[in-house]
Amino acid sequence: MPNKDGHRRFGSIRKRESGRYQARYLGPDGLMRSAPQTFERKSEAERFLALVEAQMMRGEWLDPERGNIRLQDYAERWITQRPNLRPRTVLLYRWTLTKHITPHLGRVPLVRLDTPTVREWRAKLLAAGVSVSMAAKAYRLLRAVLMTAVKEDELIRVNPCRIPGADQEKAAERPVLTVKQVFALAERVPDRFRALVLLSTFACLRWGEVVALQRQDIDARAKTVRIRQQYLELRGVGLVLGPPKSRAGRRIVSLPTAVLPAVLHHLREYVDESPEALLFTGASGKPIWRGNFNPLTRWSTAVADIGVPGLHFHDLRHTGNTLASRTGASLRDLMARMGHDSPRAALIYQHASAEADQAIAAAVDKAIRKHGKPKL
């Protein structure tokens, strides 16, 4: 229908019985569509049609009907269709989705989500006592889901997760032990777990990595430990042996010389001769779980004795990472030693220098010996 200037007008506008204006237009697929809302003024309906027409001319128009899928349904499908997610990550994502996202936003269609809605959702989480760290994890998951809806599936035009700082975790600073405290802790746990404390710290190992180590992963002559697998504890499944956390997690780490006697002692006293024998087990020979680690090692008493009550096992790796970073090693070499991954870290790990890693171990060894020969 031509407008008053004689040009054909895009779409049509009619006044409804309510007095509000309804805008309709023909999509590129030949189907007639209505605006998702009515307008109080005719000029508002005209602006809507002008925007839609411009989007079509630029090839940017999205079918609004496709964005009517509920967030809950889309997010569930998003998790299912991520082929590279580790089983534990899938469980974590599903738990976060069910606990913190879908109760508030699950029934909202993607096309109806906007930044104020997301901001209000985050504010409700924090007001309900959810930690800043957990809220940040939930926000990052929601943002990743909606980014796929924007860039890959083209269901919505923009990602509504645009709140500055909402993705940042302000976790409490974790303690860093001194070298003396590390050896004091190793002395206070049962003998069969002393090497576990020292390896976890000075080789910068994650929990799942250290409890999955086998005899064949220790090279006493080269003074190295090889990380090639980890144990995952999956709810409802049990203990599962799998690859490291990321590609960079597969690595060979040089050991400080001062730690080697404790490792060799452990191999003699507690590890079967089979190359596949686990390095660390309970007295029964079974793998160590997070749940039985505290009673097996008398951890709470040991960390209290060295003056750091509340110390987490992961703080040993944090301590080792900190000691390594103080040696002046480059970021590339540190990331390779720690098994960190990022958009750049995969390539960095591929070319990490074994010689540079040995230099890190030697520097840490020097720091250890400054405190006198360790009692092992």
Side-chain angles (χ1 to χ4, degrees):
M1 177 178 176
N3 59 21
K4 60 184 180 182
D5 296 323
H7 297 98
R8 184 172 183 79
R9 184 170 64 191
F10 175 78
S12 63
I13 300 172
R14 72 180 181 89
K15 192 172 184 178
R16 306 183 65 171
E17 292 183 5
S18 62
R20 297 182 64 85
Y21 292 87
Q22 174 71 60
R24 304 187 74 218
Y25 62 93
L26 195 65
D29 52 7
L31 298 178
M32 184 63 72
R33 288 178 172 78
S34 299
Q37 75 280 356
T38 58
F39 303 93
E40 184 178 353
R41 299 178 180 85
K42 185 177 181 180
S43 59
E44 293 173 350
E46 291 172 341
R47 281 197 296 272
F48 169 81
L49 289 174
L51 176 62
V52 171
E53 183 180 23
Q55 290 171 348
M56 288 185 182
M57 292 177 66
R58 294 194 299 266
E60 297 174 355
W61 179 81
L62 299 179
D63 183 353
E65 292 300 317
R66 296 185 63 208
N68 277 332
I69 180 173
R70 298 187 310 171
L71 172 64
Q72 178 177 339
D73 299 330
Y74 183 77
E76 285 286 351
R77 190 173 71 191
W78 183 90
I79 294 173
T80 302
Q81 294 177 348
R82 301 270 84 71
N84 298 322
L85 291 182
R86 301 183 60 81
R88 188 168 181 175
T89 303
V90 170
L91 288 177
L92 176 62
Y93 280 177
R94 290 195 189 284
W95 181 88
T96 303
L97 186 68
T98 303
K99 181 73 174 177
H100 297 304
I101 299 177
T102 55
H104 307 275
L105 302 174
R107 295 181 177 277
V108 181
L110 297 185
V111 73
R112 297 287 187 182
L113 283 172
D114 55 21
T115 301
T117 301
V118 173
R119 187 183 297 110
E120 182 181 1
W121 158 72
R122 179 174 177 271
K124 285 181 178 178
L125 288 184
L126 297 174
V130 175
S131 68
V132 172
S133 177
M134 189 65 247
K137 288 181 172 66
Y139 178 86
R140 290 199 300 268
L141 175 59
L142 178 62
R143 183 177 61 187
V145 169
L146 296 179
M147 188 57 69
T148 301
V150 173
K151 291 192 172 182
E152 296 180 23
D153 296 337
E154 297 185 342
L155 301 179
I156 54 177
R157 184 164 304 285
V158 296
N159 192 331
C161 292
R162 293 181 289 176
I163 304 171
D167 60 343
Q168 298 176 10
E169 299 182 41
K170 298 179 177 64
E173 185 67 27
R174 296 306 306 164
V176 176
L177 301 181
T178 64
V179 170
K180 184 176 180 180
Q181 284 176 316
V182 174
F183 280 98
L185 178 59
E187 290 172 10
R188 283 166 173 76
V189 299
D191 186 68
R192 71 180 303 124
F193 299 114
R194 290 181 180 177
L196 183 147
V197 169
L198 298 174
L199 272 178
S200 299
T201 305
F202 298 117
C204 307
L205 301 183
R206 300 177 175 93
W207 165 264
E209 295 171 347
V210 72
V211 297
L213 289 175
Q214 297 177 343
R215 174 180 278 276
Q216 63 183 315
D217 296 320
I218 301 296
D219 188 331
R221 180 173 297 180
K223 296 186 290 188
T224 61
V225 57
R226 176 180 53 173
I227 297 90
R228 56 190 173 82
Q229 58 190 13
Q230 69 169 342
Y231 268 125
L232 296 171
E233 296 178 24
L234 302 181
R235 187 179 303 173
V237 178
L239 206 60
V240 176
L241 191 63
K245 186 175 181 180
S246 65
R247 184 169 58 177
R250 295 182 183 271
R251 62 199 189 278
I252 295 177
V253 178
S254 299
L255 298 175
T257 303
V259 171
L260 200 58
V263 176
L264 295 177
H265 167 76
H266 182 83
L267 287 170
R268 289 192 303 269
E269 297 295 326
Y270 302 108
V271 186
D272 291 342
E273 291 300 323
S274 168
E276 291 81 24
L278 284 175
L279 213 61
F280 300 108
T281 65
S284 65
K286 294 181 179 179
I288 305 171
W289 290 65
R290 290 179 186 270
N292 63 16
F293 175 73
N294 196 326
L296 284 175
T297 60
R298 301 191 288 272
W299 182 261
S300 297
T301 301
V303 297
D305 285 348
I306 66 169
V308 196
L311 184 81
H312 298 167
F313 181 85
H314 184 76
D315 295 331
L316 298 181
R317 170 174 158 86
H318 179 54
T319 294
N321 289 348
T322 302
L323 287 171
S325 68
R326 290 172 180 169
T327 66
S330 71
L331 178 62
R332 295 175 55 170
D333 298 324
L334 287 173
M335 292 186 72
R337 183 177 182 85
M338 298 171 191
H340 281 175
D341 206 358
S342 74
R344 297 175 301 170
L347 182 59
I348 291 171
Y349 173 69
Q350 295 290 333
H351 300 286
S353 165
E355 183 179 348
D357 191 56
Q358 290 165 4
I360 295 175
V364 172
D365 187 61
K366 184 177 179 181
I368 294 172
R369 292 182 181 281
K370 278 179 63 179
H371 295 269
K373 189 173 181 180
K375 213 171 170 190
L376 300 173

